[in-house]
Amino acid sequence: MLKLAVISLVIAAVLALLGFGGAAGAFVGIAKILFFIAIAIFVLFLVLGILAGKGIKDAVD
């Protein structure tokens, strides 16, 4: 997902250099949305991993 955000930013930069401001702004908006979704998924998996690790540690002890 983060890779798609970076690709969108590169496309936006190219479009901005070519003078397509409206399309570049749209791609920047898409990149922002993808970035925040990627951060939210990362935090979710981080919390789930910590909880699973504690559960396994308690089961082993």
Side-chain angles (χ1 to χ4, degrees), residues 1-2 5 8-9 11-15 18 22 24 30 32-34 38 40 42-44 46 50 53 61:
M1 181 116 9
L2 206 52
S8 294
L9 280 176
I11 291 172
V14 170
L15 288 173
L18 295 175
I30 291 170
K32 278 186 191 178
I33 291 169
L34 290 173
F42 169 74
V43 170
L44 176 68
L46 182 66
I50 290 170
D61 289 338

Side-chain angles (χ1 to χ4, degrees), residues 1-60:
M1 181 116 9
L2 206 52
K3 183 178 178 181
L4 291 174
V6 171
I7 290 171
S8 294
L9 280 176
V10 169
I11 291 172
V14 170
L15 288 173
L17 286 174
L18 295 175
F20 298 105
F27 273 99
V28 168
I30 291 170
K32 278 186 191 178
I33 291 169
L34 290 173
F35 176 75
F36 287 119
I37 290 173
I39 294 297
I41 291 172
F42 169 74
V43 170
L44 176 68
F45 284 154
L46 182 66
V47 169
L48 289 175
I50 290 170
L51 292 175
K54 286 183 182 179
I56 291 172
K57 182 182 175 198
D58 292 340
V60 171

